[in-house]
């Protein structure tokens, strides 16, 4: 069991960040972090600790730690970020330091782009789209097709070309301490590459200008959007640490309704799909969002992948998918869930285990208002499993699976086919878990590593 000092650490030890060293060296130099034994750690070259979740398995996750000076970049604009990323096929280690907030919706000269700019020349207009696919005339039995749907797709492709950033293998992307580093309106795509580190960044306002209407989605149809703030697709050895994810400044409560359904412009915050594997998600803050983290995009994804560790994160103002897990072996520990409704985001569930997912959820803390039933914290399809103990609800040890199964016709299974061993930093004592709300409030999210 880890000592109490871990609750203020990056990994398994208490740290002291010496910001004066950063000031003296300048943002182009390494941010210096000192651990309890006064050993200097360069933030930009820092690698995932041994046994720190699934991403530490095998070769571990080092990102761009071996980058030379020619492949070390400081960026503050979209154009600079695109240049620093280079070709997604390149494998030379690189370090990208993000200074300040990069607005993805800008052109090469830094001029602000709007949805109207992306729609220009495509023939798309929302008014025309709504008229073309009104269920009263178009029906509800088939997906939109025809002139306006073709135009919508073309406009969406123009937006994607601007806001989607493809991350190559062996890359570290880190926010420069003290600069409010982040990406606004953009999506990091980590696809079919290995060994990536993403840290100390705020991802905000990732929005699809052109959601698609799907009349066959559910009983009443739904508007579906296309961009996650960070998406992993067939990626391996990825460490996402000390980031903040939010819909702000445009929250879902501001979305209009068309055809009686919310015009949803947000997709996921951090999605891990298409047989991605060996991922550690640590000390992030997930806030103000609906469909937050998807692990596995299909019930038919092959087994043997989607191994993910999720620990020491804060989930606040989250509707669902914290996470939704399919197929894989997922370890969820030492997280803090505040399921109080926030800014119009009200709980549907926290953790969903389906498609035979093997989830171990242990030593987490839930803050639950009196208006929310404990049975609503979990969800499943009758094939997924959630094992684990030491979970607290408002400070009291609670068997979440038993509470869910007592109220559900599709029981969660209570045993899994694996035992977590990559658990560096796991805090399992009742007193440590009770302290999670306070300890994680100041040690998670972007801007802490400064």
């Amino acid at each position: 069991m880890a000592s109490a000092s871990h609750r203020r650490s990056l990994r398994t030890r208490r740290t002291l960040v010496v910001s004066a060293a950063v000031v003296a060296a300048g943002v182009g130099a390494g941010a210096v972090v000192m651990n309890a034994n006064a050993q200097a750690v360069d933030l930009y070259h820092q690698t995932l600790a041994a046994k720190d979740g699934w991403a530490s398995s095998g070769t571990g996750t080092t990102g761009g730690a071996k980058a030379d000076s020619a492949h070390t970049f400081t960026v503050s604009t979209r154009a600079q970020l695109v240049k620093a990323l280079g070709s997604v096929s390149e494998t030379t280690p690189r370090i990208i330091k993000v200074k300040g907030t990069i607005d993805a919706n800008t052109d090469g000269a830094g001029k602000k782009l709007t949805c109207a700019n992306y729609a220009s020349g495509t023939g798309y207009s929302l008014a025309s789209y709504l008229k073309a696919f009104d269920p009263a005339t178009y029906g509800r039995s088939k997906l939109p097709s025809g002139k306006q749907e073709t135009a919508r797709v073309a406009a969406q492709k123009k937006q994607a070309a601007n806001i989607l950033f493809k991350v190559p293998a062996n890359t570290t992307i880190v926010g420069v301490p003290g600069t409010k580093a982040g990406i606004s309106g953009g999506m990091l795509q980590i696809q079919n590459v290995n060994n990536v580190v993403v840290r100390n960044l705020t991802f905000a306002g990732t929005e699809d200008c052109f959601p698609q209407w799907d009349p066959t989605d559910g009983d009443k149809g739904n508007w579906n959007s296309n961009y996650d703030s960070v998406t992993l697709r067939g990626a391996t050895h990825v460490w996402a640490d000390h980031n903040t994810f939010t819909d702000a400044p445009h929250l879902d409560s501001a979305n209009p309704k068309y055809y009686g359904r919310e015009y949803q412009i947000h997709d996921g915050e951090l999605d891990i799909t298409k047989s991605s594997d060996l991922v550690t998600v640590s000390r992030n803050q997930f806030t103000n969002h609906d469909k937050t983290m998807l692990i596995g995009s299909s019930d038919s994804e092959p087994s043997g992948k989607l191994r993910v560790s999720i620990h020491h994160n804060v989930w606040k103002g989250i509707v669902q998918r914290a996470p939704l897990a399919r197929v894989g072996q997922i370890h969820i520990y030492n997280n803090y869930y505040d399921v109080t409704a926030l800014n119009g985001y009200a709980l549907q569930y926290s953790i969903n285990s389906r498609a035979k997912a093997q989830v171990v959820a242990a030593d987490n803390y839930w803050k639950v208002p009196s208006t929310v039933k404990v049975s609503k914290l979990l969800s499943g399809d009758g094939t997924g499993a959630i094992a684990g103990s030491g979970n607290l609800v408002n400070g009291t040890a609670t068997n979440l699976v038993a509470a869910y199964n007592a109220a559900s016709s599709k029981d969660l299974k209570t045993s899994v086919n694996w035992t977590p061993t990559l658990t560096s930093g796991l805090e399992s004592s009742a007193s440590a878990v009770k302290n999670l709300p306070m300890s994680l409030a100041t040690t998670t999210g972007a801007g802490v590593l400064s």
Side-chain angles (χ1 to χ4, degrees):
M1 181 178 68
S3 64
S5 64
H6 171 75
R7 295 194 296 271
R8 298 188 61 188
S9 70
L10 296 179
R11 298 182 186 134
T12 60
R13 55 186 183 247
R14 179 172 57 86
T15 61
L16 173 63
V17 179
V18 185
S19 58
V22 179
V23 174
V27 295
V32 178
V33 179
M34 300 293 290
N35 63 37
N37 298 316
Q39 297 171 323
V41 178
D42 181 348
L43 172 63
Y44 304 119
H45 294 83
Q46 194 168 11
T47 62
L48 181 63
K51 297 186 177 181
D52 190 346
W54 275 116
S56 67
S57 180
T59 57
T61 301
T62 60
K66 295 182 179 180
D68 57 23
S69 59
H71 293 89
T72 300
F73 311 90
T74 298
V75 302
S76 57
T77 68
R78 174 191 167 276
Q80 290 171 349
L81 176 58
V82 170
K83 184 177 180 180
L85 287 168
S87 170
V88 73
S89 63
E90 294 180 11
T91 60
T92 304
R94 68 191 57 227
I95 294 171
I96 300 174
K97 308 173 187 180
V98 177
K99 181 183 177 184
T101 300
I102 292 175
D103 187 347
N105 289 294
T106 52
D107 64 15
K111 180 182 177 181
K112 180 67 177 177
L113 298 176
T114 67
C115 295
N117 293 119
Y118 299 129
S120 178
T122 66
Y124 173 87
S125 78
L126 178 58
S128 297
Y129 191 88
L130 292 173
K131 182 178 179 180
F133 303 113
D134 187 335
T137 54
Y138 185 78
R140 295 181 176 272
S141 62
K142 59 181 179 179
L143 287 172
S145 63
K147 182 178 179 180
Q148 271 301 303
E149 174 61 11
T150 299
R152 186 200 66 81
V153 171
Q156 193 175 64
K157 286 182 178 179
K158 285 181 66 177
Q159 183 183 12
N162 213 78
I163 72 169
L164 193 155
F165 303 106
K166 297 181 179 180
V167 181
N170 305 317
T171 295
T172 291
I173 306 177
V174 180
V176 174
T179 69
K180 297 182 179 180
I183 298 174
S184 173
M187 179 172 84
L188 288 187
Q189 179 175 290
I190 307 170
Q191 181 169 339
N192 298 328
V193 297
N194 179 63
N195 194 28
V196 174
V197 174
V198 180
R199 305 182 74 197
N200 206 36
L201 293 166
T202 292
F203 295 93
T206 304
E207 300 169 3
D208 188 346
C209 287
F210 312 102
Q212 182 189 39
W213 169 243
D214 183 351
T216 69
D217 185 354
D219 295 334
K220 299 180 180 180
N222 277 304
W223 293 95
N224 295 313
S225 54
N226 203 42
Y227 308 114
D228 310 319
S229 294
V230 177
T231 186
L232 278 59
R233 302 173 183 176
T236 54
H237 285 110
V238 178
W239 181 29
D241 175 75
H242 278 96
N243 302 294
T244 295
F245 297 85
T246 178
D247 286 352
H250 182 111
L251 305 180
D252 279 355
S253 58
N255 290 340
K257 288 186 177 181
Y258 299 118
Y259 311 147
R261 305 297 289 166
E262 180 183 351
Y263 190 68
Q264 180 57 267
I265 61 174
H266 302 116
D267 196 7
E269 290 194 318
L270 172 56
D271 280 5
I272 303 165
T273 62
K274 303 293 184 183
S275 294
S276 291
D277 198 25
L278 304 177
V279 178
T280 296
V281 179
S282 59
R283 298 190 178 275
N284 303 279
Q285 290 201 8
F286 298 94
T287 66
N288 294 310
H289 195 78
D290 186 353
K291 300 174 182 179
T292 306
M293 181 184 294
L294 180 64
I295 300 177
S297 53
S298 167
D299 288 358
S300 61
E301 287 203 34
S303 61
K305 301 282 182 76
L306 295 172
R307 291 173 290 180
V308 181
S309 297
I310 303 168
H311 71 83
H312 293 92
N313 301 281
V314 172
W315 311 77
K316 190 172 184 178
I318 297 303
V319 178
Q320 60 180 314
R321 299 186 182 180
L324 184 156
R326 290 182 169 104
V327 179
Q329 296 175 332
I330 295 95
H331 193 196
I332 305 169
Y333 65 93
N334 290 159
N335 297 277
Y336 172 48
Y337 295 86
D338 183 347
V339 300
T340 308
L342 178 67
N343 296 323
Y345 296 92
L347 177 76
Q348 188 176 122
Y349 64 82
S350 293
I351 300 171
N352 183 310
S353 179
R354 60 188 304 109
K356 299 181 181 180
Q358 303 291 298
V359 177
V360 177
D363 304 298
N364 301 287
Y365 190 106
W366 271 265
K367 179 182 178 182
V368 181
S370 60
T371 54
V372 175
K373 295 180 179 179
V374 174
S375 59
K376 298 288 289 184
L377 301 180
L378 304 182
S379 184
D381 67 347
T383 71
I386 298 182
S389 61
N391 296 300
L392 304 185
V393 174
N394 297 334
T396 300
T398 303
N399 188 327
L400 302 179
V401 175
Y404 170 81
N405 285 348
S408 174
S409 61
K410 295 182 178 180
D411 284 2
L412 286 163
K413 300 181 185 303
T414 58
S415 61
V416 296
N417 61 9
W418 69 293
T419 300
T421 59
L422 303 172
T423 57
S424 177
L426 170 63
E427 300 166 281
S428 58
S429 72
S431 60
V433 178
K434 282 184 177 180
N435 194 49
L436 286 175
M438 181 173 61
S439 65
L440 296 184
T442 57
T443 60
T444 57
V448 174
L449 303 178
S450 58

